[in-house]
Amino acid sequence: MTAPTGSGTDADRALDQALALVSPGPRPDAAGGHRPAPWNRARESATRAGASVRGRVHQVLLADGLGEVLAKPLDALSDLPSFDTSAMDGWAVAGPGPWSVRSGDDALAGSDRPAPLADGEAVRIATGARIPADTTAVIRSEHSREAGSLLHARRPVATGQDIRPRGQECRSGDLLLPAGSLVTPAVLGLAAAAGYDELTTRPRPRVEILVLGDELLTEGRPHDGLIRDALSPMLGPWLTRLGAEVVAVRRLGDDPAGAEALFEAVTTSPADVVITTGGTASGPVDHVHPVLARAGAELLVDGVAVRPGHPMLLARLGNGGPGQDPVRHLVGLPGNPLAAVSGLLTLAEPLLRALAGRSTRPRYAVPVEGDVPGHPHDTRLVPVQLTDEHVVPLRYNGPAMLRGVAAADALAVVPPHGARSGQEVEILDLPWASGGCFT
């Protein structure tokens, strides 16, 4: 099991601090340098970017709407229930008891309404069956006793007991759920009960993933300077859990041909969001910035004051006007695996939620167990496990490491200069720990 930071050795703590302090300065750009966006502001920028795009709307069968967002209010098409029904298996009775049992005319769910009851009469009834006219109450089977042709109640009978009256849950035309509600399994059940066969929803944002790099292997063990591609197996399922429809995962090289393929993908992709991995810094084969400049993209976020993952970026292409290219966003993730996770949670998740019409995720904080080292200027995102009362930081939280996040329930948002034991820190749930989207 992954050990918590708080229980590590002095060498472990020194390693954590070294990882936190690496590359403390801002990344310079061609104009002579810029200051990366604060972490919270970067997330707000991503939310605004998604909310600024006019959402697509489509009509889907109930089962196909799972995990999408209602584009129209869900109004009641009829009263629920649409007739008086029995809430229990038992007896429908009229007037005071004991009651004479009417045989051969049981009231069953799905059957026609039985004949009205005469005063002092009882008829057997099933849960969900229509209530006979002039019924006073339903007596549960376990609360009754038969003696010959007479029915006796074992306890007092109240008028209307165990009867679900017509319109108890809603009346025709009532608002059941507003537009913007997430379609969960319970919403599907409610829509079906209300008589819906289709829903009007916002479709999932389409995402294309471009994994950049010449050093990546697709199978086997790392060797001779080559490493396994850890991002392709991880990003697709992760983005699906965030509510996206992943339309393609492609690998592109770092050579000029790869840069040209990146330009073509960025400018012609059918996706709403293109996600790249690697190539966001300013090295000799980092093509993302030059390609975006060539494509006329607008950089909304160019670097974030967060560790790991500070070279991440968010760009917008197209303006969506009549006869013009549709709006498309690009999220550039760093190539290191945990840094890419940081970019997913910082930029991709709020962007996708807004594009899907979903509300921002509620924020909450939990006390941390043990001191957590901090960066002098930047926010840190640290894998943690949740206990009943605390979050426990995990080791193996370097930018290239996945061992910590693979054992984690969430990432803790550690402010600059760190957090002391017992201090509350904001928590970012991982989608499989928090339920994620229904897929």
Side-chain angles (χ1 to χ4, degrees):
M1 179 176 175
T2 307
T5 298
S7 63
T9 64
D10 290 342
D12 294 330
R13 295 190 185 95
L15 174 61
D16 284 340
Q17 294 201 28
L19 290 169
L21 295 173
V22 68
S23 303
R27 181 182 64 80
D29 62 13
H34 72 277
R35 187 173 293 277
W39 181 77
N40 271 326
R41 192 176 302 164
R43 282 174 60 83
E44 292 166 1
S45 296
T47 298
R48 285 196 305 272
S52 69
V53 179
R54 184 175 181 178
R56 293 178 289 126
V57 173
H58 65 174
Q59 199 94 1
V60 293
L61 296 174
L62 284 187
D64 295 332
L66 188 63
E68 297 186 350
V69 168
L70 293 178
K72 291 172 54 178
L74 193 72
D75 294 328
L77 301 179
S78 63
D79 297 345
L80 283 182
S82 55
F83 46 83
D84 295 345
T85 64
S86 176
M88 294 288 170
D89 293 333
W91 299 87
V93 300
W99 300 270
S100 174
V101 174
R102 188 170 78 192
S103 60
D105 192 22
D106 293 353
L108 303 177
S111 299
D112 292 337
R113 187 176 188 180
L117 288 177
D119 195 40
E121 196 172 32
V123 66
R124 190 176 294 278
I125 194 166
T127 301
R130 300 183 71 178
I131 296 292
D134 302 321
T135 296
T136 301
V138 170
I139 302 174
R140 304 182 189 190
S141 298
E142 62 269 27
H143 297 163
S144 64
R145 174 177 58 86
E146 290 184 76
S149 63
L150 291 179
L151 178 74
H152 299 266
R154 296 181 181 275
R155 57 182 62 186
V157 176
T159 299
Q161 73 179 29
D162 288 325
I163 294 175
R164 292 188 64 212
R166 176 174 181 164
Q168 182 185 53
E169 186 168 3
C170 64
R171 290 291 184 182
S172 180
D174 284 354
L175 174 65
L176 300 178
L177 289 170
S181 299
L182 179 66
V183 179
T184 65
V187 171
L188 292 180
L190 174 62
Y196 284 85
D197 300 316
E198 296 181 331
L199 296 173
T200 302
T201 60
R202 295 270 296 268
R204 297 169 181 269
R206 297 162 300 193
V207 173
E208 181 172 10
I209 302 169
L210 304 176
V211 179
L212 313 181
D214 291 329
E215 75 281 14
L216 303 177
L217 296 169
T218 59
E219 59 183 17
R221 300 179 184 181
H223 63 86
D224 301 325
L226 302 177
I227 60 174
R228 277 296 296 270
D229 172 14
L231 294 178
S232 294
M234 176 175 73
L235 292 181
W238 197 311
L239 289 161
T240 299
R241 291 300 297 265
L242 291 180
E245 176 192 353
V246 178
V247 298
V249 180
R250 292 195 283 155
R251 296 179 180 85
L252 303 179
D254 287 329
D255 57 3
E260 192 62 32
L262 176 61
F263 175 79
E264 182 178 357
V266 165
T267 53
T268 65
S269 174
D272 303 299
V273 179
V274 174
I275 292 188
T276 62
T277 69
T280 56
S282 53
V285 292
D286 290 333
H287 299 307
V288 174
H289 279 89
V291 163
L292 289 174
R294 179 183 168 195
E298 178 187 1
L299 280 173
L300 304 177
V301 176
D302 189 11
V304 179
V306 66
R307 305 298 165 127
H310 63 285
M312 68 181 74
L313 62 84
L314 171 63
R316 179 170 54 217
L317 300 100
N319 55 24
Q324 296 179 314
D325 290 339
V327 173
R328 184 185 304 113
H329 288 90
L330 181 141
V331 176
L333 304 178
N336 278 322
L338 188 58
V341 169
S342 174
L344 280 178
L345 296 178
T346 301
L347 296 178
E349 180 180 7
L351 174 68
L352 291 170
R353 290 184 76 96
L355 287 171
R358 299 179 65 185
S359 58
T360 56
R361 197 202 301 217
R363 299 175 65 176
Y364 73 100
V366 178
V368 66
E369 183 179 278
D371 295 347
V372 186
H375 187 277
H377 310 295
D378 296 350
T379 299
R380 283 188 73 202
L381 300 183
V382 178
V384 293
Q385 287 180 335
L386 299 170
T387 70
D388 289 341
E389 298 180 352
H390 301 90
V391 292
V392 181
L394 298 173
R395 292 170 52 196
Y396 309 110
N397 52 34
M401 299 180 180
L402 287 175
R403 186 173 173 182
V405 74
D409 303 310
L411 268 66
V413 181
V414 179
H417 307 295
R420 305 293 295 177
S421 184
Q423 179 179 336
E424 289 196 341
V425 291
E426 183 177 348
I427 298 301
L428 299 177
D429 289 320
L430 298 176
W432 48 88
S434 60
C437 263
F438 303 96
T439 56

